[in-house]
Amino acid sequence: MYFTDRGLEELSNRRGEEEVSFDWLAEQMRTFVDLNPEFETPVDRLASWLARLDDEED
C-alpha cells in the first residue's frame, strides 16, 4: 500500500456515498492549492489527467 492510499481510504470511507460535481471538485482543488501553493503542479497534473480520461491514446 502506498502512503497516499491512507488518504484515499479515508476519503472513500467518509464521503464514498456522496455524489459531487466536477465543478465542486475543481473548486475544492483550487481552494487546496490556494492554501498549499507547493502542490500546484501535482494538483494541475491530476486535474488534467481526470479531464482527459476519455481521450484516445496516441
Side-chain angles (χ1 to χ4, degrees):
M1 176 186 292
Y2 292 105
F3 178 74
T4 55
D5 287 348
R6 290 185 221 173
L8 295 172
E9 287 293 323
E10 181 179 358
L11 176 61
S12 180
N13 290 336
R14 288 179 174 235
R15 305 192 77 155
E17 299 298 319
E18 295 180 27
E19 292 185 26
V20 299
S21 70
F22 280 100
D23 286 336
W24 179 89
L25 178 61
E27 187 59 34
Q28 302 314 306
M29 293 171 81
R30 283 185 197 101
T31 300
F32 178 80
V33 169
D34 287 347
L35 296 171
N36 303 279
E38 67 274 17
F39 291 103
E40 181 178 6
T41 298
V43 169
D44 185 59
R45 288 181 183 169
L46 175 59
S48 295
W49 180 79
L50 288 170
R52 299 173 185 156
L53 278 175
D54 293 337
D55 288 356
E56 292 182 24
E57 293 187 31
D58 293 332

